[in-house]
Amino acid sequence: MAGRFVVVGAGEWFGAPRLEAEDFLVAADGGYPHLLAAGLTPHLVIGDFDSAPPPAGLKTLRLPVVKDDTDMLAALRLGLRAGYTRFALYGGTGGRIDHTLANIQCLHFLAQRGARGTLYARDAALTAIRRGGLAFPPGLQGAFSAFSLTSRCRGVTIQGMKYTLKDATLSAAFPIGVSNQFTGGPAQVWVRQGVLLAVYPLEAQPQDLSVEGA
């Protein structure tokens, strides 16, 4: 499926998302006012609309108020069923910490299903990686962190940063991957087993790596 499945939630708003021509734009319930303020019209509005009625004149999908999925996760399931493999999540951080954690779990959910999701925060982007990696272009400065979302991540390799790793094991109980640094040269991170959360500057725009190419 060409393009990304872009979902805007009701979290903190840091400005309009960077959209590609073939992106499919979804407002998850309270995310619609953010898009309205930015002059953007979503292809779909999804939610339980427990705090406000659905907007008129737009395609909507009403969800039950009592449900297992968050509005964000329900939207991501739609994207997966439609065949999307790249997802971008905006308005999914800030405010209540439990909502932010839920959206990080959504990244894990996507990675387990062979998709790649990126969650955009105020000053960083977060991506969950499963059996693959990210290649960062030269010229970057700032912090990079890596966390194991599964009990263990094995075969973790980090190159081109201040602190390097080769075929290491990271544990979900030990945050040794926090506060690495880009040094201005090209850099790579990849994992062979488990789901690794990468946190990096917004401007990075890394490219995907396969395990075979790592």
Side-chain angles (χ1 to χ4, degrees):
M1 178 70 70
R4 302 172 303 163
F5 196 83
V6 180
V7 186
V8 176
E12 285 191 81
W13 186 241
F14 314 119
R18 290 181 282 187
L19 297 175
E20 301 170 8
E22 296 180 303
D23 287 346
F24 189 86
L25 182 60
V26 178
D29 206 344
Y32 175 69
H34 291 324
L35 293 178
L36 183 65
L40 296 173
T41 302
H43 297 95
L44 175 68
V45 182
I46 181 173
D48 53 32
F49 307 110
D50 58 344
S51 57
L58 294 177
K59 184 178 180 180
T60 61
L61 177 61
R62 185 184 287 272
L63 302 172
V65 175
V66 179
K67 58 188 183 301
D68 291 334
D69 289 355
T70 63
D71 293 337
M72 181 72 78
L73 183 56
L76 299 180
R77 288 189 191 274
L78 284 178
L80 288 170
R81 287 198 292 271
Y84 286 90
T85 59
R86 295 190 299 141
F87 293 77
L89 285 61
Y90 291 87
T93 63
R96 285 174 48 178
I97 186 64
D98 53 341
H99 287 173
T100 299
L101 291 171
N103 290 323
I104 291 173
Q105 286 193 324
C106 285
L107 298 180
H108 190 169
F109 172 87
L110 291 171
Q112 285 185 323
R113 287 154 180 81
R116 180 64 55 84
T118 301
L119 174 63
Y120 293 94
R122 179 180 296 276
D123 56 2
L126 298 82
T127 300
I129 311 163
R130 177 178 177 268
R131 283 191 54 77
L134 299 173
F136 295 92
L140 288 175
Q141 299 292 334
F144 171 86
S145 294
F147 303 96
S148 181
L149 291 180
T150 44
S151 60
R152 294 283 190 277
C153 278
R154 293 182 170 86
V156 177
T157 297
I158 298 174
Q159 293 180 341
M161 299 189 196
K162 182 176 181 179
Y163 305 107
T164 62
L165 289 175
K166 184 176 180 180
D167 201 27
T169 298
L170 269 61
S171 165
F174 183 29
I176 193 172
V178 72
S179 295
N180 207 333
Q181 292 287 325
F182 289 99
T183 60
Q188 295 183 354
V189 55
W190 64 86
V191 58
R192 294 188 181 275
Q193 183 180 349
V195 178
L196 188 75
L197 181 69
V199 185
Y200 50 88
L202 286 172
E203 66 271 18
Q205 299 186 45
Q207 294 183 340
D208 285 352
L209 288 173
S210 68
V211 170
E212 290 74 20

